[in-house]
Amino acid sequence: SDIFNSTLKTLDISKRVTHIDTQLVSNAVSLQEIRVAEENTAYASVDGVLFTKDLKEILCYPAARTDESFTLPKETEKYDEKETFVCEKLKDIHVEEGNSKYSSYDGCIYNKEKTLLLTIPEAKTEVKVPGTVVLDNTTFDSRSNITKIELEEGITTVMPYVFNYCTGIKELYLPDSLESIEADAFNGVNLKQVTVYGNRGTYAEEFAKKNGCTF
């Protein structure tokens, strides 16, 4: 296990390997690429990322992978929404056309219907959220590197703690459709450092004035 926590950059998995401790591999902080022999019957790799052979599940995304983007195959139906893409270089994730469970928009992963934002890549600093999304989960939680958030037309409500401790926010774009931002939606955020962009006479202006934001 010591080698996994030191300087290992590339992991080669031979055709005979049928069991891998994926937790151990995921904890290898220097790992950049996982390669699997074509003949292996249990595992496969796509662009250096470890999958089950049928590509239905991502088992390990190397923590030190250097590519800024990644495409989720159309076959993939499972990954850990909190832990899989913990990689400081990753900026954009795209979902291949034809995937039955996931979709992507502006480099983030959503459910197929785009009602739920599932994963924001670690290196992403600007996030554009489509109007179909219901903002009621904690995907943004403590993402202090995000500086710009744009909510698109169609979003009506932002629930409490959605932008919990997103302390880096400088620009916030709010649509005309927005009717309410619940108390504590920006818990831990100094809203006086935020510039709100929106149309006059809408909730965006009301929110900005109420919280001391530049409008």
Side-chain angles (χ1 to χ4, degrees), residues 68-82:
E68 291 187 353
S69 67
F70 178 70
T71 299
L72 202 72
K74 63 179 183 294
E75 296 89 349
T76 305
E77 299 173 355
K78 185 179 180 183
Y79 74 96
D80 189 316
E81 292 162 16
K82 297 284 187 189

Side-chain angles (χ1 to χ4, degrees), residues 121-141:
E122 292 279 304
K124 200 160 190 64
T125 58
E126 300 183 0
V127 181
K128 191 183 294 185
V129 183
T132 48
V133 170
V134 178
L135 283 170
D136 63 355
N137 66 2
T138 56
T139 310
F140 278 98
D141 188 59

Side-chain angles (χ1 to χ4, degrees), residues 104-125:
S104 56
Y105 183 77
D106 190 43
C108 296
I109 302 180
Y110 294 81
N111 62 348
K112 184 68 176 176
E113 300 76 25
K114 288 190 177 65
T115 55
L116 192 61
L117 173 56
L118 301 175
T119 302
I120 304 168
E122 292 279 304
K124 200 160 190 64
T125 58

Side-chain angles (χ1 to χ4, degrees), residues 12-211:
D12 282 297
I13 298 169
S14 70
K15 66 181 179 181
R16 295 184 180 86
V17 175
T18 57
H19 176 73
I20 298 168
D21 185 337
T22 52
Q23 185 63 50
L24 186 65
V25 177
S26 297
N27 290 339
V29 294
S30 61
L31 188 63
Q32 295 178 0
E33 181 184 22
I34 301 169
R35 298 187 298 214
V36 180
E38 290 264 347
E39 303 86 356
N40 190 296
T41 58
Y43 303 105
S45 64
V46 176
D47 295 332
V49 177
L50 182 65
F51 286 78
T52 51
K53 184 67 177 180
D54 56 12
L55 303 185
K56 283 190 174 180
E57 182 177 357
I58 297 178
L59 300 174
C60 177
Y61 187 98
R65 187 173 182 269
T66 56
D67 295 49
E68 291 187 353
S69 67
F70 178 70
T71 299
L72 202 72
K74 63 179 183 294
E75 296 89 349
T76 305
E77 299 173 355
K78 185 179 180 183
Y79 74 96
D80 189 316
E81 292 162 16
K82 297 284 187 189
E83 303 295 333
T84 295
F85 294 107
V86 179
C87 175
E88 62 181 23
K89 292 283 177 67
L90 184 61
K91 192 173 183 180
D92 292 290
I93 307 172
H94 307 285
V95 176
E96 191 177 9
E97 200 72 39
N99 190 297
S100 63
K101 186 166 182 182
Y102 302 114
S103 63
S104 56
Y105 183 77
D106 190 43
C108 296
I109 302 180
Y110 294 81
N111 62 348
K112 184 68 176 176
E113 300 76 25
K114 288 190 177 65
T115 55
L116 192 61
L117 173 56
L118 301 175
T119 302
I120 304 168
E122 292 279 304
K124 200 160 190 64
T125 58
E126 300 183 0
V127 181
K128 191 183 294 185
V129 183
T132 48
V133 170
V134 178
L135 283 170
D136 63 355
N137 66 2
T138 56
T139 310
F140 278 98
D141 188 59
S142 301
R143 291 295 301 272
S144 58
N145 63 320
I146 294 174
T147 59
K148 177 182 173 181
I149 295 171
E150 183 176 344
L151 306 185
E152 295 193 340
E153 196 63 39
I155 292 173
T156 58
T157 306
V158 180
M159 297 301 287
Y161 305 110
V162 166
F163 299 114
N164 195 44
Y165 286 97
C166 289
T167 53
I169 296 176
K170 295 286 187 289
E171 297 177 74
L172 181 63
Y173 290 77
L174 301 178
D176 292 356
S177 58
L178 192 66
E179 297 169 2
S180 68
I181 294 177
E182 299 293 321
D184 292 326
F186 288 89
N187 180 53
V189 178
N190 176 16
L191 286 169
K192 289 180 173 59
Q193 72 179 12
V194 177
T195 298
V196 172
Y197 295 85
N199 289 318
R200 296 207 175 275
T202 66
Y203 182 79
E205 184 177 19
E206 181 185 328
F207 175 81
K209 286 181 177 177
K210 180 180 175 184
N211 292 282

